[in-house]
Amino acid sequence: MVETGEGDSSAPTEENNGVREICANGARVLTSDLEAKLDQGNLEDAESSLREGLSLTSEDARSLLGRLEYQRGNIEAALRVFDSIDLHAAIDRFQPSLQAPPKKARSRSEAPNAVSQHAASLVLEAVFLKAKSLQKLGKLNDAAQECKSVLDAVEKIFNQGIADPQVDTKLQETVSLAVELLPELWRQAGNYNEAISSYRRALLSQWSLNDECCGRIQKGFAVFLLHSGVEASPPSLASQVEGSYVPKNNLEEAILLLMIVMKKFFLGKIKWDMSVIEHLTYALSLCSQTSVLAKQFEEILPGVYNRVDRWNILALCYSGAGENIVALNSLRKSLHKIEKPDDLIALLLAAKICSEDSDLAAEGVGYAQRAIEKSQGTSEHFKSVGHRVLGSCLGQQAKVSTSDFERSRLQSDALKSLNEAITLERDNPDLIFELGVQYAEQRNLPAALRCAKRFIDATGGSLLKGWRLLALVLSAQQRFSEAEVVIDAALDETAKWEQGPLLRLKAKLKICRSQPMDAIETYRYLLALVQAQRKSIGSLRSLSQIEDDKINEFQVWHGLANLYSSLSYWKDVEICLGKARELKPYSAEALHTEGVMCQRRDKILEALSSYINGVLLEPSYVPCKVLICSVLSKMGRSALPVARAILSDALRLEPTNRLAWCYLGMIHKDDGRLADAADCFQAASMLEESDPIESFNSIL
């Protein structure tokens, strides 16, 4: 490396003819002569040559010799040279001479100030190289102390930090290297508290670091916070600007640092570093903030990522955030015929998203079939996943089928596809679970029971949904006491914060067993648990998570309202509905319960109004449709055709709704169609024998 000296500084230089020299004060000394003397162990002679040839002090001369040995790779020899210098005494001499002169006298003192800076640069570089030497010899604590002394010295010399743009370039380079090295030394030495302090000192003090150096330190600190396993305390109050955001934990601080670095990328201040977005992806995924991650990917300049890869990443982000339509739109672009229509992963993800919405299920079937076709000759896992999502899409498509024949065919194809997936991955618990749910929805309860037990055995009972499926299947078989035993066993194996769905099932089982007061106590405990959980969770929650919390609490209040309604405790019903509406102002479920209360109190028109409002709010909400028909059926023969049409639509949406079959039978009976009425009553009776306490869809 070619270096030049100015003023009183000294630096090795390489001339055009390849002769390496040290030049200072208008004189030159060949480095080859110095190296020969050092090789012979004549440190004093080498020092004397520099002092006499370049008019240097003893500390400056030995600093140069130590640097020369370090550059030659003689680490131990360099360390011996550095140890022979009283570097800290030399630093103390610079303190008064480097103080900023008054503005009026600035022009007269610029020259001596520059000379002192160059001399200080040489000594501080020697201390820094001593720290590097100790690091290479494995003496990490000693190295950190030496490196720290460089920064302490700079803070003494420059009281307000290095804010002056006229600071010597070599001095600034040494300071920047020391600031970046110190936290790494403490980290390597295992002194994590000192490492945290050094990172914060590097970022909060004035060191005049360039953007690249500052970005590397911010990235290093963020990685340390994410992976060190040490919980850092928040920054001190003295370093906080009034009104600024103060991170509350490691994760928040790491995300903040990484987003600052990303902003520098976007502004073109530093070079692109792929590892930064990878660490940010990890951090934001931990707290379910994938929508924020999507915004970061959207701001990345074109050309960094292939556009198809960017679309696929955005789809993953938005899917994780629950924004499935946005995710699917990204995948539609990436799977366009002019892009990558055969991308297996994108096809599987698109099919998975479609499998969660019955209105998109037909589109998902196409994606899944293409994925199965493209998975031929690849890993059996991808083929299994293709059959799995195909089965899920077919099951969803069956729910919106307009004909019984088509529905039956789709349900059969769904089971066939899931069984095909099972043959490829027999021990996949998720496949076993989905197959069990499909069997349960089609009321093949013995097969569903086998799958539920098999899933619990495969997972060791560690997953909540397995216990819930088993309890629901047992309740559909009218084995309520056994279902309650299962729930109690699951509660013993489940952490307190995860017990909400189990407790809700337990309350409903108590109602089925004619134990309403026990059910009320269970709901009260569940309500206290949900409210305590909401208060205890930290601030890093996505909007979807907050909404989930409200829905859970809403379900508790709504369940209590239904229970009080069955007991005719109307004031309690109104209180519970009021609490539920505070959490979810527009709810078909709440309107349904309100309508039931009005109907039982003979307020028929108000009840009908509530049911109609529920359907207007949520057109596919079957319970309101059914009870509209229960009211219309009592309004005379003229209303029967309307009621029959509404019930037919309700049964199209939910073919296993026993109340819908029952009311349809009543309407057929009133209309004189006794054979049709008998068929409907028989269907209702059969469904009542296999009706679970909660929809099987609730566990998906």
Side-chain angles (χ1 to χ4, degrees):
M1 182 175 70
V2 179
E3 293 180 275
T4 59
E6 298 179 21
D8 199 34
S9 69
S10 304
T13 184
E14 186 173 329
E15 296 184 353
N16 293 332
N17 59 9
V19 178
R20 296 175 63 242
E21 300 173 330
I22 296 176
C23 49
N25 300 323
R28 301 171 182 270
V29 173
L30 294 175
T31 57
S32 57
D33 295 342
L34 297 175
E35 289 171 355
K37 293 178 181 179
L38 290 172
D39 289 340
Q40 296 171 3
N42 295 329
L43 176 61
E44 288 77 9
D45 290 348
E47 177 191 346
S48 178
S49 297
L50 278 176
R51 291 176 60 188
E52 295 173 2
L54 301 179
S55 303
L56 299 175
T57 65
S58 175
E59 290 85 356
D60 291 347
R62 294 211 170 202
S63 297
L64 283 172
L65 292 174
R67 181 171 67 179
L68 185 59
E69 289 284 38
Y70 182 85
Q71 291 172 341
R72 294 170 66 200
N74 299 331
I75 304 303
E76 293 184 357
L79 190 57
R80 285 195 296 270
V81 175
F82 291 135
D83 284 338
S84 67
I85 312 172
D86 189 353
L87 295 169
H88 302 293
I91 289 171
D92 291 339
R93 292 202 307 271
F94 298 123
Q95 185 173 352
S97 62
L98 284 177
Q99 299 300 319
K103 290 186 177 180
K104 292 182 179 179
R106 176 65 61 90
S107 60
R108 293 193 300 271
S109 58
E110 275 183 359
N113 184 272
V115 170
S116 298
Q117 282 195 32
H118 296 313
S121 171
L122 191 60
V123 175
L124 290 174
E125 184 191 28
V127 182
F128 173 74
L129 292 178
K130 182 178 180 181
K132 291 286 291 181
S133 301
L134 289 166
Q135 181 191 21
K136 291 186 177 183
L137 295 175
K139 300 178 180 180
L140 298 172
N141 281 301
D142 293 339
Q145 291 294 347
E146 291 295 335
C147 191
K148 182 174 180 293
S149 69
V150 174
L151 304 184
D152 292 341
V154 171
E155 287 185 335
K156 288 181 181 178
I157 294 171
F158 301 92
N159 289 333
Q160 304 300 321
I162 305 180
D164 190 348
Q166 296 183 357
V167 170
D168 176 66
T169 303
K170 186 65 181 176
L171 175 59
Q172 180 63 66
E173 180 184 347
T174 301
V175 171
S176 298
L177 291 171
V179 168
E180 191 172 352
L181 177 64
L182 181 57
E184 179 65 18
L185 289 173
W186 286 125
R187 186 192 65 79
Q188 292 178 6
N191 195 332
Y192 297 135
N193 289 329
E194 286 290 347
I196 292 169
S197 298
S198 298
Y199 274 122
R200 291 206 171 119
R201 181 185 185 186
L203 296 174
L204 297 174
S205 300
Q206 288 192 13
W207 303 112
S208 292
L209 304 176
N210 61 39
D211 289 322
E212 288 285 351
C213 179
C214 188
R216 287 193 301 270
I217 294 171
Q218 288 167 332
K219 172 194 164 185
F221 191 19
V223 172
F224 178 86
L225 291 169
L226 286 174
H227 305 294
S228 67
V230 179
E231 187 63 36
S233 58
S236 64
L237 294 174
S239 63
Q240 298 171 14
V241 179
E242 185 177 355
S244 63
Y245 172 74
V246 180
K248 298 178 180 62
N249 52 48
N250 280 21
L251 190 57
E252 287 191 12
E253 190 166 3
I255 290 171
L256 180 62
L257 288 166
L258 291 170
M259 292 184 74
I260 291 172
V261 178
M262 289 296 295
K263 191 69 174 179
K264 292 179 180 178
F265 290 144
F266 301 150
L267 296 175
K269 293 182 177 181
I270 59 178
K271 296 179 181 177
W272 172 252
D273 182 354
M274 185 71 73
S275 65
V276 174
I277 191 65
E278 290 172 353
H279 289 299
L280 186 59
T281 299
Y282 169 73
L284 290 171
S285 298
L286 284 179
C287 55
S288 301
Q289 293 280 355
T290 52
S291 59
V292 177
L293 181 61
K295 296 294 187 292
Q296 294 294 313
F297 274 103
E298 287 175 346
E299 290 189 38
I300 295 175
L301 294 175
V304 175
Y305 280 91
N306 177 279
R307 63 179 180 178
V308 174
D309 293 337
R310 186 199 294 257
W311 286 330
N312 291 341
I313 292 171
L314 288 172
L316 278 171
C317 293
Y318 283 119
S319 175
E323 300 181 42
N324 284 346
I325 298 300
V326 180
L328 187 59
N329 286 336
S330 293
L331 290 170
R332 284 167 177 160
K333 288 188 285 187
S334 72
L335 291 170
H336 193 274
K337 62 182 180 181
I338 65 171
E339 300 295 347
K340 290 185 178 180
D342 299 330
D343 188 326
L344 181 56
I345 302 299
L347 286 169
L348 291 173
L349 179 58
K352 175 68 171 61
I353 292 171
C354 291
S355 71
E356 298 173 6
D357 188 338
S358 56
D359 293 331
L360 299 171
E363 182 181 355
V365 169
Y367 291 133
Q369 289 173 338
R370 285 164 58 189
I372 293 170
E373 180 184 349
K374 299 303 175 184
S375 66
Q376 301 296 331
T378 63
S379 168
E380 287 191 347
H381 171 70
F382 289 121
K383 190 175 180 180
S384 173
V385 173
H387 282 289
R388 176 182 168 185
V389 294
L390 176 59
S392 298
C393 289
L394 289 169
Q396 288 283 1
Q397 193 177 4
K399 294 177 182 179
V400 294
S401 176
T402 56
S403 71
D404 293 339
F405 174 78
E406 181 71 10
R407 182 184 304 112
S408 178
R409 183 187 67 80
L410 290 171
Q411 288 175 340
S412 176
D413 289 345
L415 286 175
K416 187 185 299 183
S417 187
L418 288 172
N419 278 305
E420 181 67 26
I422 285 281
T423 60
L424 296 170
E425 289 187 306
R426 293 188 179 277
D427 299 324
N428 188 325
D430 292 331
L431 272 175
I432 297 169
F433 178 80
E434 287 195 27
L435 185 61
V437 173
Q438 283 290 337
Y439 278 130
E441 289 183 331
Q442 296 180 34
R443 295 302 191 267
N444 187 344
L445 298 180
L449 186 63
R450 288 195 300 271
C451 288
K453 291 179 178 179
R454 187 178 168 191
F455 177 79
I456 291 173
D457 290 339
T459 59
S462 60
L463 295 180
L464 190 66
K465 62 183 182 180
W467 295 104
R468 292 176 63 195
L469 176 59
L470 180 57
L472 286 177
V473 172
L474 289 171
S475 73
Q477 293 179 328
Q478 311 304 305
R479 298 156 66 179
F480 299 121
S481 60
E482 294 178 54
E484 191 170 347
V485 170
V486 169
I487 293 296
D488 288 336
L491 288 170
D492 292 338
E493 300 292 330
T494 307
K496 182 174 65 172
W497 296 131
E498 299 175 1
Q499 292 179 351
L502 294 173
L503 290 169
R504 190 173 66 246
L505 286 180
K506 184 172 182 176
K508 292 182 178 181
L509 285 169
K510 293 289 187 184
I511 296 170
C512 292
R513 298 183 69 188
S514 301
Q515 299 173 355
M517 302 314 295
D518 290 343
I520 290 173
E521 288 303 316
T522 303
Y523 269 123
R524 284 175 177 170
Y525 177 74
L526 176 56
L527 183 60
L529 182 65
V530 171
Q531 291 175 334
Q533 181 181 15
R534 186 177 59 175
K535 292 177 181 178
S536 68
I537 296 177
S539 61
L540 269 181
R541 292 191 297 168
S542 64
L543 180 60
S544 62
Q545 287 174 306
I546 294 172
E547 290 299 321
D548 284 344
D549 287 344
K550 289 183 179 179
I551 290 172
N552 287 334
E553 189 174 351
F554 166 82
Q555 289 173 349
V556 179
W557 286 114
H558 181 249
L560 264 175
N562 284 334
L563 177 53
Y564 285 131
S565 177
S566 68
L567 299 173
S568 300
Y569 293 176
W570 306 124
K571 289 185 178 179
D572 291 327
V573 174
E574 292 172 356
I575 291 172
C576 291
L577 285 177
K579 293 289 187 180
R581 286 199 174 99
E582 289 178 5
L583 298 163
K584 196 174 179 182
Y586 305 103
S587 164
E589 294 96 327
L591 288 167
H592 171 265
T593 303
E594 181 183 322
V596 170
M597 178 178 65
C598 291
Q599 189 172 359
R600 292 187 62 186
R601 297 168 76 178
D602 295 326
K603 299 178 180 180
I604 303 303
L605 292 179
E606 292 181 22
L608 184 60
S609 175
S610 294
Y611 297 145
I612 292 173
N613 286 336
V615 172
L616 292 174
L617 188 63
E618 192 174 332
S620 60
Y621 190 67
V622 171
C624 280
K625 288 177 178 283
V626 172
L627 292 185
I628 286 174
C629 297
S630 74
V631 174
L632 292 176
S633 65
K634 298 175 183 178
M635 291 185 174
R637 295 181 62 86
S638 61
L640 294 182
V642 177
R644 185 166 56 248
I646 294 174
L647 283 172
S648 298
D649 184 60
L651 287 169
R652 179 186 64 81
L653 294 170
E654 193 177 323
T656 57
N657 190 299
R658 64 180 180 85
L659 284 178
W661 284 109
C662 184
Y663 283 118
L664 184 59
M666 292 179 181
I667 290 172
H668 282 316
K669 180 184 175 182
D670 293 342
D671 209 20
R673 302 177 181 180
L674 298 182
D676 291 340
D679 290 340
C680 290
F681 288 139
Q682 184 179 7
S685 177
M686 293 176 62
L687 287 171
E688 186 176 13
E689 295 174 359
S690 61
D691 201 22
I693 57 173
E694 193 172 281
S695 170
F696 291 113
N697 282 331
S698 65
I699 57 178
L700 292 176

